[in-house]
Amino acid sequence: MLGKLNLIAVKAKQDKTLKFTALIHHVNEENLMQCYGELKRNRACGIDEVTVEEYGENLQANVRSLVERLKRKTYQPKPVKRGYIPKPGKAEKRGLGIPAVEDKLVQLMLKHILEAIFENNFLDYSYGFRPYRNSHLAIRKLDYEVMKRPVNYIVEVDVRKFFDTVQHDWLIKCLEQRIADRNLLGLIKKLLKSGYVEAGQYHASKMGTPQGGIISPLLANIYLHYVLDLWFDKVVKRQVGGYINLVRYCDDFVVCCQHQSDAENFLSQLEVRLKKFGLLIAWDKTQILPFGRKAWCQSHVARKKMKTFNFLGFTHYCGRSRRGKFIMGHKTTKENLQRKLREIKEWVKERRGKVPLKIWWNLLKVKMSGHYSYFGISGNLRCLDQFYDCVTRLVYKWINKRSQKRSMAWVKFKAYLKQNPLPKPKIYYAFYSTK
């Protein structure tokens, strides 16, 4: 499978206008068997309540049956199971669609095919859900733009319910820019229109790509590549009077501008552009703010507090280095910090009386290390220290609530902590180079 996908990628790179006419044959028994090995085993079940392990008990027969239905064009994706997770710092919840295992296999194979074709088309503005790119590289790029380029304004944009409002017709037209295989496009249409089940009731899908689906982030990137990235590169950058650049992580993006007039013009043009493709700007979460070296110096002279903005779980602000020079700072947003502490609190409360301390203590270490691995970037050590202190006090509190009588005094807890230390904060991604 890898060799054939590499050939597709080479052809796509050599001729970026080439349309592929024969792709559906790659969705075969051998490739789907390999895709099964890539599925994660600890994920929730779909509407059929079949786990990955249960599907794999008779894997060859199941995959053979799936391929036969695909060839006869009788394959029909099952509706996704609708679930909800809370949004950080918000009362509303984000809807998730959980596909069946069989549909996950098809989506994963389609993802490999589409990725081999479109990855060569994507521009450098995009960092989300792409090979060898991640959120930390997006933040590093944003840091570079503010520190090294003539950036004086930031446009923070929020697209209202992006994954729920993607227009299927426009998405298919985007795919048709590189794909002419009607069978493959028909299979993608089936997945898009499979619908969802919520509280036992079926709902048809007339628009949107369900968050939680394996292929959804890639389809979102393809959609925004043609709707936003290319338009920004070919139209916006040629109209402005100063420097401007875009940093996008899937549907989250910010624009760095030199002039306020360019920022305002971009935002007004963006509204028209997105509306054409069925998307709307959430104006209550969208803003233009002075940001950068020049804005920081002006606010310092006027003794005014500068605005901050949130991007990818971090609050970004203008600050002062130890030598008194301008620096772009990054810290964990209050919402993310509070949410993570609430999660750990509930997790400890649930296990403190049911599981031995030495068992859940090791699991707590994993949770803390996971938090550090994402939020451990340059300038955020203070928030990491705050997280460590809060978790330590929280654990001590709930250990002593296992009964009416205090089970561990502070001195004893400190001794236990010394023998079984929790992971200390660590910077994993350094943005600031040292001489």
Side-chain angles (χ1 to χ4, degrees), residues 297-426:
C297 292
Q298 291 175 347
S299 67
H300 183 66
V301 172
R303 296 184 178 181
K304 291 183 178 179
K305 187 177 180 180
M306 291 194 64
K307 289 185 178 180
T308 63
F309 68 97
N310 295 337
F311 183 57
L312 299 180
F314 292 90
T315 297
H316 306 278
Y317 61 95
C318 294
R320 184 196 300 270
S321 69
R322 292 179 181 178
R323 297 183 179 181
K325 296 183 179 181
F326 167 75
I327 197 169
M328 183 180 180
H330 321 274
K331 62 181 180 181
T332 311
T333 62
K334 291 181 180 179
E335 294 80 9
N336 276 288
L337 182 59
Q338 292 171 358
R339 176 177 57 86
K340 190 63 178 180
L341 290 173
R342 283 196 301 268
E343 288 178 3
I344 291 181
K345 173 186 173 182
E346 296 301 322
W347 185 83
V348 173
K349 282 174 63 178
E350 184 180 350
R351 284 157 180 79
R352 60 195 167 95
K354 301 177 182 178
V355 183
L357 176 61
K358 62 180 181 180
I359 294 178
W360 66 256
W361 190 266
N362 290 327
L363 296 176
L364 178 63
K365 292 181 181 179
V366 175
K367 286 182 173 291
M368 295 179 69
S369 296
H371 182 83
Y372 300 149
S373 66
Y374 183 79
F375 291 102
I377 69 173
S378 297
N380 196 34
L381 189 59
R382 182 178 298 177
C383 284
L384 297 184
D385 287 334
Q386 182 183 357
F387 174 77
Y388 175 86
D389 293 338
C390 289
V391 170
T392 303
R393 292 195 300 268
L394 186 150
V395 169
Y396 172 70
K397 172 185 175 181
W398 287 103
I399 283 178
N400 285 298
K401 286 200 172 186
R402 288 181 292 185
S403 63
Q404 293 181 351
K405 185 178 179 180
R406 176 172 293 185
S407 57
M408 185 179 289
W410 178 251
V411 175
K412 186 178 178 181
F413 176 74
K414 291 273 285 187
Y416 185 84
L417 191 61
K418 187 175 182 179
Q419 292 179 351
N420 303 275
L422 294 173
K424 292 293 183 69
K426 178 182 175 182

Side-chain angles (χ1 to χ4, degrees), residues 215-241:
I215 200 174
S216 292
L218 178 56
L219 293 178
N221 269 337
I222 294 171
Y223 198 72
L224 287 172
H225 169 72
Y226 290 101
V227 173
L228 178 64
D229 296 358
L230 277 179
W231 169 74
F232 183 86
D233 194 63
K234 303 297 183 182
V235 179
V236 175
K237 294 188 78 171
R238 297 179 182 181
Q239 294 178 347
V240 297

